[in-house]
Structure formats: structure tokens, C-alpha cells
Amino acid sequence: MAVDVLLGLQWGDEGKGKIVDVLSPQYDMIARFQGGPNAGHTLEFDNQKYVLNTIPSGIFNEKTMNLIGNGVVIDPIILKRELDNLKKNGFDPVAAKKLVIARKAHLILPTHQLLDAASESKMGEGKIGSTLKGIGPTYMDKTGRNGLRVGDTQLPDFKAKYQKLVDKHKSILSHYGEVPDFSEKEASFFEAIEFLKTIPQVDSEHFVNQYLKEGKTVLAEGAQGAMLDVDFGSYPFVTSSNTTTAGACTGLGIAPQKIGSVVGIFKAYCTRVGGGPFPTELNNETGEELRRIGHEFGATTGRPRRCGWIDLPALKYAIMLNGVTELVMTKADVLSGFETIYACTHYKHDGQVIDYMPYDICTIKPEPVYEAIPGWKEDITGIKEVSEIPESLSSYVKYLEKALEVPVRYLSVGPDRAQTLILN
Ligand code: GDP
Ligand code: IMO
Ligand code: MG
């Protein structure tokens, strides 16, 4: 058996949570492989909306096991809050034995968040616009070989290890200014650590490979999107993990040849939250309309998302990096009513027309070259059959399939799990 992978092809918030939830009945396990509570994955069903930050989006499927993989960074306070909220709504994945956590996953400490905030405020105008969840500093400690891991919570000297790392952080923080008081947060952290210890810990590499050996199906759930990948995204305006398919191998402990289908998700247009380049951004009424109709406000931070037209050079790049075998287009309903929609096919850069992301994307502003595509007027949020899809929307999908050279398998026409069409 192979591990299928589902990931975002743009700058995050493509609708990964919703689609993982839709696909989860087909899988024995859903496994998050990178990122942390910077993610906000929204799911809707039975008139209820849930936002998950750390927990895989298979949690609402009765039969599915959910693994938080070693590549994820975990804030125990946020994880506890997520599970408390689920419990209030009648879901208790720990009691149901449907949630396990990798021993090798790294912990986000309260001081990681302080470091994130200090670094961002120091950068002023040029800041990344991070989610301030401590993601960057935690991955820095991981690669710097200083980090604390989930498995360390079982060790008798966990507190001493914690203190050693906090002392290092305090010394760095003192260079930024006065170290803020974090005693309250620290108390919540240790309370949450006790809670964390009640979640079964596993070696994700053995756990996942055993599933495969037994012929079980696994879907790896990505967070963020390809353009936020630390190596290939719009660096330095990226997150601190590999959001691409390769990240699923290191973030779960699976060999590259064990990867099966790669499902790439994109919005029918494009959004980004935080700083950094966004060639097709619309700083005008159309951009505002997309934000208003698409409710484009961050699921984690509530920040307004920047909106623009679909960017084909960026999507082709993401498809190449990830080895995408099938596509999902979400939020097609948001474009209903636009007379004309536009797809960026190329950029103009340095007097030349190019069809790839230039290296210096952050310093130059490539000018998008657009193709105009007729829009559709119909409200599509209630359609249940492929035959009901307006012709202009079908043409848009076919146009994208031709340009991207990958079939669009699913079309999402609203936030609810039921608002999903299988195309082919
Ligand atoms: P994720 O981070 O990729 O899981 O995406 P988010 O949850 O951050 O953002 C996607 C938003 O769009 C959420 O509010 C979803 O409920 C919503 N959504 C997902 N698919 C659709 C769709 O097809 N149409 C509309 N209108 N909303 C959608
Ligand atoms: P999901 O999984 C959209 C962005 C932040 C910032 C940059 C770095 O919901 O798609 P970080 O806190 O990771 O150091 O921030 O990355 N970012 C996201 N944008 N969706 C996300 O996750 C994101 N996670 C991080 O806004 O620009
Ligand atoms: Mg999100």
C-alpha cells in the first residue's frame, strides 16, 4: 500500500480541511506531517463549523485513526484547547482511541512565541507577518538540535531540559529588550503537558509503515501551501517547514517510493495572508469583492486575506514540486456573478515574458499577463450533479486542466462537506 498525500498548491487556506474530511471515509488513517497551530483547517457539516489547528481533519470520521506526525510542531496549550472544544461538541478522539501523537514531534514553548513576536516586531515593515504561534523559533531549535520533543515529557529530567532551553531563549530575548513576564503561560503549558501525556505516543515511522504493511490506507494531510515551503516558496516570506510532498516523507517516516496519489488543492482564484510577494494580488474593488464573497479572513488569526486572480505559473511550479496526480478546485461558488474572470498565464519581467516564478520574486514585481475567461451567473452552491454545472464553469475547469496538465477530480462549491462534486 502507498500513502496518498493531500496538500495546498497556493499560499495556504485552499480548503484542505474540508477536502480531507470529505475523503477521510476512504482512509484508515489521516496523518498531519508538518506545520503546527499556524494552520487553521475549517470543516463544516450538519450546520456546524469546526476549525482544527493541530489535529488531523479525519477526526470526525468514526473509523479513521489520526496521527500527528513527527514533522509537526505542537503547542500543548492549543492542542488541549482544540480537544476541549471538540469534547464540548460531543467528540472525544482520545477516549475513542482515534488520536495518536509522534514522540519525535517538537514542542512549542511559551518562549518560542515570545521569540517569534520579538523577531517580527524588530523587522518592522519587512516582517514576515507570521501567525505569532512560535513556529519559526521552534523549527530553528529543531534543526539547531536544541528542541524539546513530545517523548521528552516522559523523562524524569523534562523540567530541567525545559529550563535549559528557556534560559537560552531568555538570553536571546534580552537582546531585543526586556523579557516579558510569561509565568501564567508557563503554568498553562505545564498543565497542558500533563494532558498531552494522556494521548498515546507512537514512533510515527513504525506506526505508518505498519499500517501500510497491513494493507491499510493512509492519507497525509499537509498544512500551509507550496508557495510557503521553506525551500521553494516565496522566501523569506514562507513558513519554516517543507510543505511539499517531500515533507510527508520526513514528517512521517515514509520512503519516497511509498507515496501514491498526490492530491493538490487550489482555490478558483488566489489568496495569501501575511507579507510577501503576490503577483496577481488585486488591490482594488474586485479584490475586496473576492474577500467579501469568499469570507477571506484567516481561520487562525482572523486577519483579512489578500485576494487576487489565479496564478498559473505559480500553480504549475507547485504541481511540479509536488508530483500532483489529481487536482481539487475549491471556492468555485465565490466566482459566481463575475462577468469575466482572469487567469494569469505569464509574467512580464525585465522586458521578457516568462512562465515561471523568478528567483528575485521578492525584490522585483513581475507583472501578470492575463487571459480573460467568461464568467457564470448561476448560484452553484446547491448543485448536486455534474450535469448541473454551468457551461462557463465547465469551460474554466477544462481550460485549467489543459494548462496544468493534471485532471481536476473534485469541485468544491461551498464550505459544507456535502457541497462537493466528483468530476471524473
Ligand atoms: P485550509 O487551511 O486549507 O483548510 O483552509 P481554511 O479552512 O483556512 O480556509 C478555507 C475557507 O473556505 C474555510 O472557511 C472553508 O470553510 C471555506 N471553504 C472551503 N471550500 C469552500 C468552497 O468550495 N466554497 C466556499 N464558499 N467556501 C469554502
Ligand atoms: P493553513 O494550513 C495561510 C503564513 C503566515 C505568514 C507565513 C509564516 O491554514 O493553510 P508562520 O506562523 O508559519 O511562521 O508564518 O506563513 N501562514 C499561513 N497562511 N494558511 C496557513 O496555514 C498558514 N500558516 C502560516 O501568514 O505569512
Ligand atoms: Mg487555513
Side-chain angles (χ1 to χ4, degrees):
M1 290 305 284
V3 174
D4 292 341
V5 184
L6 180 144
L7 30 71
L9 299 180
Q10 294 162 320
W11 277 278
D13 303 328
E14 298 88 350
K16 298 174 289 293
K18 166 183 164 162
I19 300 299
V20 170
D21 172 60
V22 167
L23 299 182
S24 63
Q26 300 173 27
Y27 290 94
D28 295 305
M29 189 200 311
I30 306 294
R32 265 285 298 272
F33 61 89
Q34 46 68 235
N38 47 350
H41 294 180
T42 316
L43 295 85
E44 281 189 41
F45 56 90
D46 298 342
N47 296 318
Q48 270 286 348
K49 178 170 159 173
Y50 301 91
V51 179
L52 300 172
N53 304 117
T54 329
I55 299 173
S57 304
I59 211 74
F60 298 105
N61 189 281
E62 260 176 35
K63 294 193 315 255
T64 315
M65 172 57 81
N66 292 268
L67 164 70
I68 303 174
N70 58 279
V72 177
V73 289
I74 295 161
D75 181 332
I77 303 173
I78 295 178
L79 178 59
K80 180 174 184 298
R81 194 169 66 211
E82 281 183 79
L83 285 162
D84 286 346
N85 283 340
L86 285 177
K87 215 169 175 177
K88 274 188 216 143
N89 286 292
F91 298 95
D92 189 348
V94 182
K97 298 192 175 10
K98 279 173 42 193
L99 181 68
V100 296
I101 189 161
R103 280 193 186 93
K104 295 188 178 80
H106 279 246
L107 290 172
I108 302 175
L109 273 47
T111 40
H112 282 129
Q113 279 174 19
L114 295 180
L115 285 165
D116 197 355
S119 157
E120 283 285 85
S121 83
K122 178 98 179 171
M123 283 201 264
E125 281 289 290
K127 69 179 183 182
I128 308 292
S130 95
T131 57
L132 301 177
K133 304 291 178 197
I135 305 297
T138 307
Y139 278 115
M140 279 162 75
D141 272 334
K142 174 179 176 174
T143 52
R145 297 158 297 178
N146 290 304
L148 278 185
R149 302 190 290 178
V150 167
D152 294 339
T153 59
Q154 308 285 358
L155 302 176
D157 62 344
F158 174 64
K159 278 213 166 143
K161 280 185 192 298
Y162 167 86
Q163 201 51 54
K164 193 171 163 212
L165 187 53
V166 166
D167 287 345
K168 184 190 135 197
H169 290 164
K170 277 183 175 165
S171 124
I172 304 171
L173 283 165
S174 67
H175 291 285
Y176 289 103
E178 202 179 323
V179 182
D181 175 44
F182 59 94
S183 47
E184 232 174 85
K185 201 85 199 254
E186 191 168 59
S188 308
F189 175 82
F190 280 106
E191 195 190 315
I193 287 288
E194 287 312 306
F195 175 78
L196 181 88
K197 284 156 95 176
T198 65
I199 306 172
Q201 297 180 10
V202 299
D203 292 314
S204 51
E205 60 279 32
H206 292 303
F207 195 76
V208 176
N209 281 293
Q210 187 57 34
Y211 257 65
L212 298 182
K213 222 173 186 174
E214 289 169 13
K216 292 180 178 160
T217 49
V218 180
L219 178 68
E221 174 180 1
Q224 290 80 56
M227 299 313 295
L228 289 169
D229 181 275
V230 66
D231 280 281
F232 300 108
S234 46
Y235 192 88
F237 297 93
V238 293
T239 191
S240 298
S241 62
N242 282 116
T243 59
T244 38
T245 305
C249 294
T250 56
L252 294 174
I254 44 172
Q257 70 268 33
K258 295 268 169 72
I259 300 290
S261 304
V262 180
V263 184
I265 302 204
F266 65 98
K267 278 180 191 170
Y269 48 100
C270 193
T271 64
R272 144 159 236 180
V273 62
F278 181 3
T280 61
E281 180 169 17
L282 294 166
N283 284 311
N284 58 17
E285 260 175 40
T286 311
E288 274 166 35
E289 226 173 314
L290 286 171
R291 186 175 312 115
R292 183 180 57 77
I293 303 169
H295 304 290
E296 294 295 357
F297 295 88
T300 305
T301 58
R303 291 179 292 176
R305 294 178 183 143
R306 300 155 64 190
C307 298
W309 296 120
I310 202 160
D311 183 336
L312 298 181
L315 271 180
K316 284 181 195 168
Y317 181 58
I319 287 168
M320 175 190 80
L321 289 170
N322 286 304
V324 171
T325 58
E326 53 195 80
L327 293 164
V328 179
M329 184 164 93
T330 59
K331 304 198 100 161
D333 53 301
V334 175
L335 294 185
S336 286
F338 282 84
E339 190 78 39
T340 309
I341 53 183
Y342 294 88
C344 165
T345 54
H346 297 81
Y347 308 124
K348 270 193 203 152
H349 171 42
D350 233 2
Q352 285 184 316
V353 177
I354 54 169
D355 65 353
Y356 58 87
M357 279 256 161
Y359 172 79
D360 46 355
I361 178 101
C362 293
T363 46
I364 54 128
K365 269 197 146 192
E367 189 192 323
V369 178
Y370 288 112
E371 186 159 342
I373 294 157
W376 54 94
K377 296 232 167 348
E378 297 87 338
D379 173 2
I380 56 168
T381 53
I383 66 176
K384 299 270 177 260
E385 303 292 335
V386 172
S387 57
E388 295 171 80
I389 298 174
E391 213 169 297
S392 297
L393 172 53
S394 284
S395 302
Y396 184 44
V397 171
K398 284 194 190 104
Y399 168 82
L400 294 173
E401 285 183 321
K402 191 159 175 239
L404 301 172
E405 298 178 70
V406 184
V408 178
R409 218 30 248 289
Y410 297 91
L411 183 68
S412 176
V413 295
D416 194 276
R417 79 163 51 136
Q419 292 171 300
T420 316
L421 298 164
I422 303 177
L423 295 189
N424 47 51

